[in-house]
Structures are given as C-alpha cells and as structure tokens.
Amino acid sequence: MTQELQRFFNENEQGILEEILLHRRDVRGNHFKKDIISEENIDRILQAGLSAPSVGFSQPWEFVLIHNEETKEAVRATFQKENEKAVHQFSDVKKQEYIKLKLEGITEAPLNMAVFYKPKKEPVLGQTSMPNMGKYSVVCAIQNMWLMARSLNIGMGWVSILDPEQVKQILNAPSENQLIGYLCFGYTDMFYNKPELELKKWDYKKLQEEVVIQEKYT
Amino acid sequence: MTQELQRFFNENEQGILEEILLHRRDVRGNHFKKDIISEENIDRILQAGLSAPSVGFSQPWEFVLIHNEETKEAVRATFQKENEKAVHQFSDVKKQEYIKLKLEGITEAPLNMAVFYKPKKEPVLGQTSMPNMGKYSVVCAIQNMWLMARSLNIGMGWVSILDPEQVKQILNAPSENQLIGYLCFGYTDMFYNKPELELKKWDYKKLQEEVVIQEKYT
C-alpha cells in the first residue's frame, strides 16, 4: 500500500464532523414530518451502518425496514404498555416531568427500522472473552446511521421503551435474533440546538473533568 | 427556536462524513507510531465522546486515560492470557490464520483509554424495559471518538480479548463500573483501505441485500 492511497483529513473536514456530532439529536414524534425518505437516502443510511466496525469482522447485524402502518401501530402498543409501567418507577417530582415528555415517534415517522444482533454458532474472533462485543458492533452501526441521517438533515429517534420480545413477535424475527435498537427516521420541522432532556432540565450536561480519570482510579 | 438556528448540511458535507466512515479502521500495534497525541487532540476526541447520545441523557460513561507503561504492560499480560485461551476455540484452519494476526497495540500505542459504564442507582428514563441501554450509550461514545480520531488522522484499535475484571483491578476501578471498551490511540504509518480482516480473507464483506429485510421476516 503506497502513501498516495492514504486519505488525510484536513482541519475543515474535522470541523464538519464535529458539527455533525454536535447537531445530532434524538427526534420524537412531535417533530417528524410526513415527507418520504428517498430510496437513495435510505441506502446511504444503510451503507453508513454497513461500514461500522464489527468484532472479528463478524457484521452480526440485520436491519428490518418498516413502512407498514399496522406494524407501527402494533409496536406503538408495546411502547404504550411499557411506558405505563415505567412511569411508576420514578419519584413523584420526576413522574410529573416524565409524563409531559413525548418519548417516541413510531407512527409519526415515515420510516421505522428494527436493528437486530444475530449471534453466530461458531466462535467469533475478539468475542471470546467479552461476549457482548457482537451487540456492541450493532450499536456502532446504529450510531453511524444516526450521524449519516443527521448529515442528510433527517432526524432519528431511538425507542427503547419497548418489550423486545413483543417486537420480535410482531416482526416474525428468528428466535436467536436480539433486538438492539428500534429506530424512527424522518425529516423534521426543527432540530433542538441541545439535547431535549438538557433543555427541559431533566438532567445536566456533565463536564469533561467529571468523567475523565488520569491513569487510574485513586 | 427559529429556522436560522437550524444547521442544514450540504452534499459536500455529507460526502465528507461518508469518507470518514469508510476510511475508519481498527489499528493494531504493527502500524502505530510513537508520536505523542497533543492535549488539544485528546480533548477533541473526548468531546466527541461527550456529545454522543445517551439513554435518558444519563451520560453513564467514564474514560480513563492511560500513558503509564507499567499499566499498559499489565493490561497486555491479560490480553496474552485471554488470547492463548481464545486460539483453542477455533477450527484447525482458522487457528493457523488466527495466530498470524496482530490483534492489539496496547504497548505500541502512545495513549490507551479504558471506557467504563457506570450504572446509576435511580431508574433511568428509557432504560426501564431494555437494561442494556446504558452500555449501548457508552458504545455510541466510543464510536464517536473512533470517527473523530480518524478525522484527526489518528488510528484507534478496540481490544476486546481481555479479562474485564483484571482490567478493572489494574485500574483500581469501582466495583460497580463495567468495562465496555479498551481503546488504543496513535498516529499510524498507514491505514488499510479496507478492513484488515477483509483484506486477509478472514471473512467476506456482507452485501446490503443479505442483511436488510423489508417490513418483516417471512
């Protein structure tokens, strides 16, 4: 491999990546528009997922593209049920904030995507000591798609208040598949300039010095 | 929020993100250079991590920056032990390929980083039905850092052939912390133009149609 083949990124390109990282948001149903996402853009989002790193190059992912309204309604019903259970877990103060939040955009988003981890029967290079690595590879694919979508000015929301087994049943998924993420994609009327839960003071933004440790814990 | 505050990304910027995604590689010790990574660049990488999405804005991450050679040697020893156990799990043909691969760059990389998931005692919004969501948030931070590093022309390798409990012990980590990724960062003499395990024919690159399902499984 010669030096000419190396891609060297410059200051301007680094700045563009930083802007995409900073402007990526979790988008919910109150901001999705109905406009269809073109096949070309769906392909660009999927290709971003397929270029993610995977442990031992196992690429242990499957992506189910969902446009069907009945499927979305069925998934939304499991959200509803799980969300009702969830709210009771929070303290009284938090509960009042919680119920005001719109936490998904399943039926409002023109495109839903269920992303599965498909375990392999054979051992996977790099996964022998840390069995979760395959699932983490799938998460890397989701994050790549999230960033690609944002660069295409398409919002994405990750819905995790769901019973994964119910979603598998709705999608007729093979029993060995494990749901990692249920994603909603669509154009938006706006993107918040900060995380919505930061703006709504659900929690504060941590500073770098709070989460960075030098060399080892004391 | 007015329309003026919205960041609209253009075709050129979308293309730059795609190039960063496509040129990101897992870098191992045979390609790391000794050159120090500046504080400024370490900060840019960490800030990319801190701008990752997190479930319920929980930001459940801690990042340990490791320059110390003794610490690296100790981590490398757990790699060695786990790797010797791992090789026996593969078939005879794969075993011969496996032992030829350089699978980490712990001591060669000027900077190592252990990334932990720190569970919260209180319930976390969005994590009530899918308890792994906090760990997945940490993976999103790792993927953001990986991409930021690549844009800075810095290589990163994710080492997963490790005993996570050993690493915690070496770093004196709190018992509730869970190791998600052990990362090696450094400048490189080259980046492969495709995943190394693809070039070395460990496995083939999956096509989009192999992993994309329309609407539901049949």
Side-chain angles (χ1 to χ4, degrees):
Chain A
M1 174 144 319
T2 61
Q3 210 44 39
E4 296 84 80
L5 285 169
Q6 303 298 301
R7 180 65 165 83
F8 186 88
F9 293 101
N10 64 33
E11 192 64 46
N12 172 53
E13 295 168 319
Q14 291 151 8
I16 289 164
L17 175 62
E18 280 171 324
E19 281 205 78
I20 297 169
L21 297 176
L22 283 173
H23 288 272
R24 183 210 48 74
R25 290 279 89 76
D26 192 277
V27 177
R28 292 85 184 264
N30 44 344
H31 294 292
F32 279 128
K33 299 201 289 184
K34 287 275 167 227
D35 312 52
I36 290 298
I37 303 173
S38 68
E39 283 298 321
E40 188 203 330
N41 282 342
I42 295 176
D43 282 350
R44 288 177 84 173
I45 291 169
L46 286 167
Q47 284 298 321
L50 295 181
S51 68
S54 68
V55 61
F57 200 49
S58 57
Q59 308 157 79
W61 37 57
E62 287 186 348
F63 309 88
V64 184
L65 303 180
I66 302 155
H67 293 89
N68 184 281
E69 299 300 332
E70 275 170 51
T71 307
K72 291 178 187 173
E73 290 292 352
V75 174
R76 180 139 207 300
T78 103
F79 162 79
Q80 204 79 38
K81 210 166 146 188
E82 293 299 311
N83 201 42
E84 277 160 27
K85 283 194 275 179
V87 69
H88 297 295
Q89 299 189 32
F90 292 88
S91 67
D92 284 347
V93 180
K94 280 295 192 197
K95 209 177 281 180
Q96 295 312 311
E97 295 179 53
Y98 189 104
I99 55 179
K100 283 186 214 149
L101 296 167
K102 170 76 175 164
L103 293 173
E104 50 72 51
I106 299 165
T107 56
E108 296 91 343
L111 174 67
N112 288 192
M113 188 195 292
V115 188
F116 287 99
Y117 165 58
K118 192 169 198 79
K120 287 194 197 295
K121 287 177 200 83
E122 331 74 86
V124 172
L125 185 156
Q127 195 167 324
T128 47
S129 298
M130 296 184 73
N132 277 334
M133 284 302 296
K135 291 177 208 161
Y136 297 167
S137 302
V138 180
V139 176
C140 289
I142 292 174
Q143 180 62 4
N144 269 12
M145 292 194 291
W146 210 336
L147 295 171
M148 191 67 224
R150 180 59 188 92
S151 82
L152 293 165
N153 308 296
I154 293 168
M156 189 194 111
W158 181 333
V159 188
S160 55
I161 308 172
L162 292 169
D163 176 351
E165 292 306 314
Q166 280 285 324
V167 176
K168 279 176 62 175
Q169 210 176 349
I170 293 163
L171 299 177
N172 203 19
S175 59
E176 73 273 19
N177 283 27
Q178 296 181 41
L179 184 72
I180 304 298
Y182 192 87
L183 316 177
C184 302
F185 292 93
Y187 291 96
T188 69
D189 61 357
M190 56 93 86
F191 285 98
Y192 289 106
N193 64 349
K194 288 184 174 186
E196 194 173 344
L197 292 175
E198 182 181 3
L199 291 171
K200 296 186 172 164
K201 301 193 195 302
W202 177 266
D203 215 331
Y204 75 100
K205 164 87 177 169
K206 290 185 186 172
L207 297 172
Q208 188 172 313
E209 50 266 41
E210 291 178 81
V211 293
V212 173
I213 289 95
Q214 299 295 336
E215 299 300 341
K216 57 173 75 179
Y217 291 84
T218 49
Chain B
M1 173 144 317
T2 61
Q3 211 43 40
E4 295 83 81
L5 285 168
Q6 303 298 301
R7 180 66 165 83
F8 186 88
F9 293 100
N10 64 33
E11 191 65 47
N12 172 52
E13 294 168 319
Q14 292 151 8
I16 289 163
L17 175 62
E18 281 172 323
E19 281 204 81
I20 297 169
L21 296 176
L22 284 172
H23 289 272
R24 183 210 48 74
R25 289 279 90 75
D26 191 278
V27 177
R28 291 88 184 260
N30 44 343
H31 293 293
F32 279 127
K33 299 201 289 184
K34 287 276 165 226
D35 310 52
I36 291 298
I37 303 174
S38 69
E39 283 298 321
E40 189 203 330
N41 282 341
I42 295 175
D43 282 351
R44 289 177 82 172
I45 292 169
L46 285 167
Q47 284 297 321
L50 294 181
S51 68
S54 68
V55 61
F57 200 48
S58 57
Q59 308 159 77
W61 37 56
E62 287 185 347
F63 308 88
V64 184
L65 303 181
I66 301 154
H67 293 90
N68 183 281
E69 299 301 331
E70 276 170 48
T71 308
K72 291 177 187 173
E73 289 292 353
V75 174
R76 182 141 205 299
T78 103
F79 162 79
Q80 204 78 37
K81 209 165 144 189
E82 292 300 309
N83 201 41
E84 276 161 27
K85 283 194 276 179
V87 68
H88 297 296
Q89 298 189 33
F90 292 86
S91 67
D92 285 347
V93 180
K94 279 294 191 198
K95 208 176 282 181
Q96 295 312 311
E97 294 179 54
Y98 189 104
I99 55 178
K100 283 185 216 152
L101 296 167
K102 169 78 175 163
L103 292 174
E104 50 73 49
I106 299 166
T107 55
E108 296 92 343
L111 174 67
N112 287 192
M113 188 194 292
V115 188
F116 287 98
Y117 165 58
K118 190 168 199 80
K120 288 194 197 297
K121 287 176 201 84
E122 331 72 89
V124 171
L125 186 157
Q127 195 167 324
T128 47
S129 297
M130 296 183 74
N132 278 334
M133 284 303 295
K135 291 178 208 161
Y136 297 168
S137 301
V138 179
V139 176
C140 289
I142 292 174
Q143 180 62 4
N144 269 11
M145 293 193 290
W146 210 337
L147 296 171
M148 191 68 225
R150 181 58 188 91
S151 81
L152 293 165
N153 307 296
I154 292 168
M156 190 194 110
W158 182 333
V159 188
S160 55
I161 307 171
L162 292 169
D163 176 350
E165 293 306 315
Q166 280 286 323
V167 176
K168 279 176 64 175
Q169 210 176 348
I170 293 164
L171 299 176
N172 203 21
S175 60
E176 73 272 19
N177 282 27
Q178 295 181 42
L179 183 73
I180 304 299
Y182 192 89
L183 317 177
C184 302
F185 291 94
Y187 290 97
T188 68
D189 60 357
M190 57 92 87
F191 285 98
Y192 288 106
N193 65 347
K194 287 185 174 184
E196 193 174 344
L197 293 175
E198 182 180 3
L199 292 171
K200 295 186 173 164
K201 300 192 194 305
W202 176 266
D203 214 331
Y204 76 100
K205 164 88 176 167
K206 289 185 185 172
L207 296 172
Q208 187 172 314
E209 50 266 41
E210 290 178 80
V211 293
V212 173
I213 290 95
Q214 299 295 335
E215 300 301 341
K216 57 173 75 179
Y217 291 83
T218 48

